[in-house]
Structure formats: C-alpha cells, structure tokens
Amino acid sequence: MLDPAVLKELKRILGADGVSTTPEELVAYSYDATQREALPWAVARPQTVAQVSQVLAFANRERFPVVPRGAGTGMSGGSVPTQGGVVLSFERMNRILEIDEENMIAVAEPGVVTGDLQREVESRGLFYPPDPASHRFCTLGGNVAECAGGLRAVKYGVTKDYVLGLEVVLPTGEIITTGARTAKSVAGYDLTKLIVGSEGTLGVVTKIIVKLLPLPESVLTLSAFFRSVDDAARAASKVLASRIIPRALELIDQAALRAVENYLKEDLSQGAAAMLIVEVDGPAETTERESARVADILTKAGATRVQSADAGPEREQLWKARRSISPALYTIKPKKINEDIVVPRSRIADILREINDIAKHYDLLIVNFGHAGDGNIHTNIMLDDVDLPKAGEAVKKIFAAVLRLGGSITGEHGIGISKAPYLPMELSPDALSAMKRIKQALDPNNILNPGKIFLNAE
Ligand code: MLT
Ligand code: ZN
C-alpha cells in the first residue's frame, strides 16, 4: 500500500502529472505478455535522469520496490510488480537523442520504440540489426534489460552485441555511465555487459548508445514447405552447415501455421505440415547466389515447395505473419506457457523430437516455432488452465532435455518470474551465489525489481 507521504514525495519529484494511482492505470501497468499480473501501488513517469535518481534514492531510503517497465511486451514477467511498489515507466523518455552517421552510432532514451529507431537509421542508409518480433511496440530499454534477440540474431547477434555504453541509475540513486562511444574500450570491468540482460535488477537504464552497421544493399526472402517438422528442422541444420549465414532462419510447425492462418485469415502454406522462412542479405550478386544455393539445399532436404517472396508487400506480409504467431496462438487455447529454449544448431531436430515425446506422454498440445537459425525454439504448452500440474512437469522435462543436449533454458526472453524456479537446473550453486552477491552489492536493500531471476535473493 502506498503511504500518503510517499505519494506526496513522488509528486514533488515527478510533478503531479508524473504519478498515477487511479485503479485503471494501475491495472494497465500490472501485466506483461506472460499474462501474469500484480498491481503496483503507483505508476511513475520520469522525464529526466535526475528524477529517476531521486526516485531510486528515495525508494532505497524508504525501502519500497521499484519496477522498471518499457512497453510490457516481456515474455518472462520481468516488468510485473509482483511485490507491489512503484512501476517506473519510460514512456516520457522516448527520444532518439543523436544519430552520429560518421561514427555509426545512435544514442537514445529507453522509451524509444525499437522499430522507430530501426526506421530512422534506415532512412539514412544505416542499420540497427536487433529485431524482436514485437519491434513495433517494444522499447530499447526493455530490449536492453532482457538482452532481446529476435529474427535477425542468426547473422547479426543480439542486443548486447550492439550496446556500446549506457547511462544507468544504480538502485542507491547514483548516476553512472558505462562503456564508451568508441569501437573499443577496455577501461575497467565491462559494466555494460553486466547491465544488459540483468532484467532491471541491477540498475535503471536512462540512456543507450548503440552501434550501427551500413544498411545491407539487398535482401532476398524464401519460404519453404515440408511434410513434417522433422524434415524442416533437418533442412534448417543443413542450411546452417552449408557455411551460408542467412540473416533469418525461422521455423513454424503445423499448429502454429494453422493458428496464424486463422488469425490473419490468410492461406500461407496450403496445408503444409511445417514451414521455414529463410532470408539472406548483402550485395545483390551475393544474395542471388546464396538464395539459389539455399533453395537447392532446401529442395534436396525434402521441401515440397520453395518460393521466393517479392520485395515489398509480399515480404512484409510474410514477416507480419511470422511476427503474429505469438498472439495468434491464443486462437487455439486461452493460455500458454511460452518457453524460449535454445540448443546447439545441429540439435534442433533432436529437441523437437524429445518435445513431441513429452507432449504425448503428458497428453498436452505443444506448439513450436521460432529462430531455428539460432537453435532457439519457442515451445508453447497450450492450456485451458496454467496451473495444470502436468504442464509444470512437462516444462521441467523439456528443460532437462535441452540441458542434456548442451543448450540453455532461455535464449532471449530472460528468467523473470516464469523461469526462476528452473534456474538452478542450469546454473551451479556457486554461479548462482556469485550472481546474488553482485545483486546484493549494487542493491543492498533489494528494492530494484525484487523477486526476479532468483526465487530468493539470499
Ligand atoms: C517471437 O519470436 O515471436 C517472440 O519471441 C515472441 C514469442 O516467443 O512468442
Ligand atoms: Zn523470439
């Protein structure tokens, strides 16, 4: 519950219009894309780093939780205020501050929508590769907090590969900068990498410096259809083994195809049992050569049809369909447990087979799609009721199989609250304890996004 004296001080720091406590707004900031929810006591909307610093120093003195939030598109509960407190929302810190074309960097506030930055730099012949499926809504601050991946990670890497430096407010209120604006810097510990992916538990990011690349000259997109998901998974591994690195290599299984076709009222695949989308980029002569080789590999690997998408509306429609799978799955069942397991690229077919066996054993519908090029599959257990105990058992079995195959339980969505119970399956007690000691050193009173990553902070 919010003490009136705390509310008064928040209003003094942020101005009356910078703080909300109406029931409607509390509900609007209570959930993310996991469908988990918990009401905050108040929503704070800072406009400056000084305000963020004052809020954190005050929270640290008064010992109330602060939960940073971008657009609430997270997939592991990272921005859900499970212990109440104040949600710190960055919608008023949403400016692209600078695009330095000569040094190929951009500087932005955390509330900038990722797709807006992509579009702005592309209009200048530059390229910001990280491309989460939710790029039209998600924010850079959230991407940094979770180290978001996305559709182009197979060739270009993930958010941490592009963040050169940050401005960060520590949970005790100090404002620090990390990294540099240069291509290289090894001055001290790499605090940038520590903060990226720390899920809003170690500091609040208020400014982000990212590296940009030249915009690739040409892009070619292929879709390929298969008789089984096993064929599609093997074909994906064959493309990767051919020494061509596509900029996207996405797999969609039958249930996901039917769901998205239903959702968009569009026939994408003419009844195929699985689909791959493969996209290559680079100079025009290279992309033409590479796409012809990829088409050949896919056909030899058993594709029943391979077709290329025209640049423009046809390609956009294809990617729109891919990006719509996540919401489209709700046309199958009202609830889903969405995992983002990752295995070595050569083991995609193996893990999909194991998941299929687990689905049969527990009599569950499990839908798979995602970034086959990274070995990163979104495994969705479709449910009428999330509390079904056998779903939890199935998740545990899936994670055990992933780890046995040399993978990781999360490729891009983070641990948050949804995977906290399973983190000890992947990390040793000593590794967990080292992480908790870092948390305690930076946030001695455990006020910043408490309850995330670790089931208990001690
Ligand atoms: C995606 O790749 O579509 C996103 O990570 C969302 C999801 O996993 O549902
Ligand atoms: Zn994804």
Side-chain angles (χ1 to χ4, degrees):
M1 273 298 295
L2 192 62
D3 187 315
V6 169
L7 180 60
K8 192 167 163 219
E9 177 61 6
L10 287 174
K11 286 190 171 163
R12 191 194 65 73
I13 297 170
L14 297 150
D17 62 344
V19 189
S20 309
T21 52
T22 64
E24 295 80 2
E25 285 192 274
L26 298 187
V27 169
Y29 291 82
S30 66
Y31 60 89
D32 73 355
T34 56
Q35 297 177 305
R36 291 168 190 252
E37 51 190 299
L39 283 179
W41 304 338
V43 179
R45 298 187 193 82
Q47 283 179 298
T48 65
V49 61
Q51 289 176 337
V52 175
S53 162
Q54 286 178 56
V55 169
L56 284 174
F58 176 51
N60 189 47
R61 260 195 327 272
E62 297 296 321
R63 311 275 198 270
F64 62 82
V66 174
V67 180
R69 177 184 171 96
T73 56
M75 291 273 173
S76 58
S79 63
V80 179
T82 47
Q83 299 182 17
V86 173
V87 162
L88 205 54
S89 174
F90 284 90
E91 66 224 53
R92 299 206 297 183
M93 289 180 74
N94 63 351
R95 290 170 305 158
I96 298 175
L97 299 171
E98 189 187 339
I99 296 175
D100 177 347
E101 296 190 29
E102 201 179 354
N103 290 300
M104 297 212 291
I105 61 172
V107 184
E109 291 182 321
V112 169
V113 171
T114 309
D116 291 348
L117 179 73
Q118 290 170 334
R119 236 190 345 272
E120 185 54 42
V121 302
E122 283 173 26
S123 72
R124 299 163 191 234
L126 293 167
F127 186 41
Y128 178 65
D131 188 34
S134 55
H135 71 163
R136 281 178 52 219
F137 321 101
C138 65
T139 61
L140 284 178
N143 294 174
V144 167
E146 300 298 327
C147 188
L151 304 171
R152 301 194 286 235
V154 53
K155 178 166 181 179
Y156 290 104
V158 297
T159 304
K160 70 179 171 203
D161 301 310
Y162 292 85
V163 180
L164 294 174
L166 296 168
E167 178 183 79
V168 180
V169 183
L170 298 179
T172 35
E174 301 90 334
I175 303 168
I176 63 164
T177 57
T178 73
R181 292 173 61 111
T182 47
K184 289 173 160 179
S185 167
V186 286
Y189 292 144
D190 191 345
L191 295 183
T192 310
K193 284 267 195 303
L194 178 65
I195 296 292
V196 178
S198 63
E199 307 193 22
T201 64
L202 298 181
V204 175
V205 171
T206 47
K207 203 185 281 178
I208 303 159
I209 306 171
V210 294
K211 140 177 120 176
L212 304 172
L213 298 181
L215 186 65
E217 179 188 304
S218 100
V219 179
L220 289 176
T221 314
L222 296 173
S223 39
F225 304 93
F226 295 85
R227 285 191 197 88
S228 70
V229 75
D230 195 53
D231 283 358
R234 284 169 193 285
S237 295
K238 290 219 164 89
V239 171
L240 294 162
S242 75
R243 306 286 186 266
I244 291 173
I245 304 184
R247 81 159 172 183
L249 203 181
E250 295 288 316
L251 177 145
I252 311 174
D253 80 358
Q254 188 162 28
L257 274 173
R258 293 301 89 81
V260 78
E261 287 169 342
N262 213 358
Y263 184 69
L264 297 177
K265 305 277 172 274
E266 195 187 315
D267 185 2
L268 268 181
S269 67
Q270 283 134 50
M275 177 181 184
L276 290 181
I277 307 176
V278 190
E279 189 162 89
V280 291
D281 69 1
E285 17 3 310
T286 314
T287 50
E288 265 156 38
R289 200 179 54 240
E290 288 189 342
S291 79
R293 262 193 69 203
V294 169
D296 189 46
I297 293 166
L298 295 172
T299 308
K300 288 193 176 126
T304 51
R305 191 157 43 92
V306 180
Q307 65 194 40
S308 57
D310 292 340
E314 200 176 312
R315 181 192 299 148
E316 264 166 42
Q317 197 52 26
L318 193 58
W319 284 119
K320 180 179 171 201
R322 163 59 188 86
R323 290 179 196 275
S324 304
I325 295 174
S326 203
L329 293 186
Y330 289 115
T331 60
I332 305 179
K333 291 266 184 192
K335 307 228 179 266
K336 62 179 177 179
I337 300 178
N338 178 8
E339 302 300 351
D340 67 318
I341 52 161
V342 52
V343 292
R345 289 160 174 169
S346 55
R347 310 307 299 267
I348 304 163
D350 298 330
I351 192 63
L352 289 175
R353 255 195 316 275
E354 293 219 30
I355 292 170
N356 190 34
D357 291 346
I358 293 166
K360 277 198 190 129
H361 177 81
Y362 288 103
D363 190 22
L364 287 166
L365 173 61
I366 303 189
V367 182
N368 293 291
F369 71 96
H371 320 294
D374 308 327
N376 182 197
I377 304 293
H378 297 310
T379 292
N380 290 262
I381 304 181
M382 304 308 303
L383 298 166
D384 294 307
D385 174 6
V386 246
D387 290 329
L388 210 60
K390 68 178 180 180
E393 285 171 35
V395 168
K396 216 167 172 177
K397 285 256 161 56
I398 292 168
F399 286 164
V402 163
L403 295 170
R404 204 178 341 103
L405 292 172
S408 170
I409 64 172
T410 174
E412 59 175 11
H413 292 166
I415 296 294
I417 41 181
S418 56
K419 286 191 261 316
Y422 307 101
L423 188 58
M425 289 178 72
E426 179 161 341
L427 298 183
S428 70
D430 286 345
L432 272 173
S433 149
M435 288 186 189
K436 288 180 184 176
R437 275 180 278 148
I438 292 171
K439 169 72 174 165
Q440 280 153 8
L442 292 178
D443 186 9
N445 295 317
N446 195 24
I447 57 123
L448 190 58
N449 213 1
K452 308 297 165 63
I453 304 181
F454 312 111
L455 266 189
N456 51 54
E458 290 80 48

